[in-house]
Amino acid sequence: MISVTFVNRDGDSMKVKAKVGDTFLDAAINNDVDLEGFGACEGTLSCSTCHIIFKKEDFDKLPDKPSDEEMDMLDLAYGLCDTSRLGCQITLTESMDGIVVTVPAQVADARNR
Amino acid sequence: MINYLLICDLNFTIDKDFSKFEGEGRPLYLDAQATTPVDPRVLDAMLPYMTNYYGNPHSRTHSYGWESEKAVEVAREQVAKLINADPKEIIFTSGATESNNIAIKGVARFYKMKKNHIITTQTEHKCVLDSCRVLEGEGFEVTYLPVLPSGLIDLNSLQNAIRPTTVLVSIMSVNNEIGVKQPLAEIGAMCRKAKVFFHCDAAQAVGKIPIDVESMSIDLMSISGHKVYGPKGVGALYVRRRPRVRIEALQSGGGQERGIRSGTVPTPLTVGIGAACEIAQQELKYDHARISKLSQRLIDQISHSLTHVIRNGDPEHSYPGCVNLSFAYVEGESLLMALKDVALSSGSACTSASLEPSYVLRAIGAEEDLAHSSIRFGIGRFTTEAEVDYTAQKCIHQVTKLREMSPLWEMVQEGIDLKSIKWTQH
């Protein structure tokens, strides 16, 4: 088990424990992390709601480059930046223990406003 | 077909005042760079989507939507094939102007945190130059590369202009005023090496000369429907996926067209540009050979009977369907009026309302008076040999007449060097 921290839109940190081999999306769902609408398509690369932003040094250490399909969905995400990825596509490894990721400020879902 | 359109009452008639000339009918059309007629085969392809298949292609829940979406995807494939791209890399827009705006502003703004320099040329279309000017107002630095007298860019000056902070190079393929073809493959290779995005405004080139986004290392490309015998009001933007080019969208909305261009995709227009591209791909070689012959025929006839005619732009590295000639000692507007039964232009349509002579001609170093004397002959798929002969003969006749009236011409004939004269004011 490793620890992963999600920093949400209000700046709150949510530290959770996750299994190596799960994705960031699994980590969020399994621990009931309070993120509205996160992972709407359940990891099938059909949305951009699991959009997370890494710190540069963590981003550079990610093992796989995003596939074309992930890039296509990522292009539609709000707050896209250089270190953005889709959480459902990244598998947790031992070296990611203690990693902190930010969930971007805006979402395409306007229901909460 | 033209007679039919004149006869049937469509709530308007072609005003006789617009076409005062000697005979019946309408002027010969030799302004292919301004626009091209819709190919009848393109119209055939479009019509069902104007009448029966009127669904919104984004309607997911019924067959009206599905059939409309299918037509759009077929068109996307047709456009992609013409330029050797993947259909997923084609975005439909309202025309090349919009495509240019999206490409330049969108790429620049997305990467502005890291890079803020753009390179373009002085002979680009107004929409490219104006987009760059807007970006300058936002804090970007833009280098407007000069061109050689041939109209081509100097590859060395491009190399020297590239900085570590350069994000985009935007250079058109075929110039709309003088027809000059820039060396795309060399420019693309240079940009790829420097890790700079290469945008090419190919509105006048697509479907007329072979364009291959892979071999030419093009990252973004603008395509215009009505320059390739398609309908007006539609264009496309090629956006490379590998390596990925990211764009900040100009038009916000429902996320259509990969989020780059929201808005309902106009199925009939899209089907039109798709069909136009497919036809262009099939007929490219034939059209090019035919147009080259007609172009040479026009130039030969004119230069055989007239002296002091200058071709603007490199004759070798040019698209033959665009011939820009300056007739010394003849004023361009008066020649156009004299040739009233041939539809021609001097300079580009988008700047024809202004009084200034063409900035493209100025960029290639044409002298002020020669720039005012230039005429652009546009030869297209439907131009006939008889039309070319008529135009050439009329041109020779009118130029001769106008020169006979010109005191400057008289002086030149007498061997006087006009540059040595001290003109006085009255």
Side-chain angles (χ1 to χ4, degrees), chain A residues 16-97:
Chain A
V16 300
K17 286 226 170 296
K19 260 182 26 212
V20 168
D22 275 353
T23 63
F24 277 88
L25 177 60
D26 294 328
I29 301 289
N30 294 343
N31 291 291
D32 245 344
V33 174
D34 181 22
L35 290 167
E36 283 277 354
F38 199 82
C41 74
E42 299 174 358
T44 55
L45 272 185
S46 312
C47 73
S48 53
T49 56
C50 67
H51 174 205
I52 47 179
I53 301 173
F54 289 86
K55 294 208 207 69
K56 180 139 197 343
E57 50 280 12
D58 294 328
F59 182 82
D60 291 336
K61 283 191 272 175
L62 291 174
D64 302 306
K65 288 243 155 314
S67 64
D68 283 340
E69 289 72 28
E70 183 186 337
M71 295 271 239
D72 278 345
M73 287 299 122
L74 213 39
D75 275 346
L76 301 172
Y78 267 117
L80 185 65
C81 63
D82 281 343
T83 56
S84 288
R85 288 295 299 269
L86 290 183
C88 64
Q89 297 302 302
I90 306 175
T91 320
L92 296 166
T93 61
E94 280 291 346
S95 57
M96 291 185 198
D97 191 13

Side-chain angles (χ1 to χ4, degrees), chain B residues 137-340:
Chain B
E138 290 175 17
F140 286 86
E141 288 173 25
V142 182
T143 300
Y144 299 92
L145 285 177
V147 294
L148 301 165
S150 62
L152 297 164
I153 60 148
D154 179 352
L155 287 167
N156 284 324
S157 23
L158 173 59
Q159 184 66 74
N160 293 336
I162 295 177
R163 308 174 192 170
T165 52
T166 306
V167 61
L168 182 71
V169 165
S170 177
I171 297 182
M172 70 196 327
S173 171
V174 171
N175 184 280
N176 53 311
E177 291 198 33
I178 56 180
V180 166
K181 284 191 312 196
Q182 300 294 351
L184 297 183
E186 286 83 338
I187 298 170
M190 202 182 281
C191 291
R192 189 53 69 81
K193 214 160 154 230
K195 297 230 165 64
V196 175
F197 291 125
F198 175 31
H199 165 250
C200 176
D201 175 3
Q204 295 287 349
V206 164
K208 303 195 178 125
I209 58 169
I211 302 264
D212 182 336
V213 295
E214 285 308 317
S215 66
M216 295 170 172
S217 310
I218 297 174
D219 298 308
L220 296 125
M221 194 162 85
S222 306
I223 299 166
S224 172
H226 71 110
K227 305 285 163 42
V228 66
Y229 311 94
K232 293 177 186 54
V234 68
L237 175 64
Y238 159 75
V239 183
R240 181 175 282 277
R241 275 170 98 231
R242 261 202 228 155
R244 186 154 292 234
V245 180
R246 288 221 154 113
I247 294 185
E248 196 183 278
L250 289 183
Q251 188 154 305
S252 318
Q256 288 82 11
E257 298 298 282
R258 277 172 62 195
I260 294 175
R261 204 275 187 180
S262 292
T264 300
V265 172
T267 308
L269 295 177
T270 311
V271 166
I273 190 176
C277 286
E278 185 170 86
I279 293 169
Q281 182 163 20
Q282 289 162 358
E283 307 196 344
L284 199 148
K285 256 175 119 176
Y286 176 81
D287 281 345
H288 194 272
R290 207 185 74 92
I291 288 170
S292 300
K293 260 186 81 184
L294 288 177
S295 173
Q296 201 54 55
R297 194 182 172 91
L298 178 77
I299 296 170
D300 286 346
Q301 282 189 38
I302 290 178
S303 40
H304 186 70
S305 303
L306 291 175
T307 58
H308 297 80
V309 177
I310 296 103
R311 172 121 188 235
N312 294 306
D314 189 318
E316 229 187 276
H317 299 280
S318 256
Y319 173 61
C322 177
V323 177
N324 190 308
L325 301 173
S326 281
F327 299 92
Y329 315 110
V330 171
E331 215 275 317
E333 295 277 313
S334 47
L335 181 56
L336 282 180
M337 292 302 115
L339 291 171
K340 51 188 183 318

Side-chain angles (χ1 to χ4, degrees), chain B residues 335 338-339 393-403:
Chain B
L335 181 56
L339 291 171
Q393 291 312 311
K394 227 19 202 317
C395 190
I396 293 165
H397 181 71
Q398 296 297 343
V399 167
T400 310
K401 252 177 73 179
L402 285 166
R403 278 177 174 170

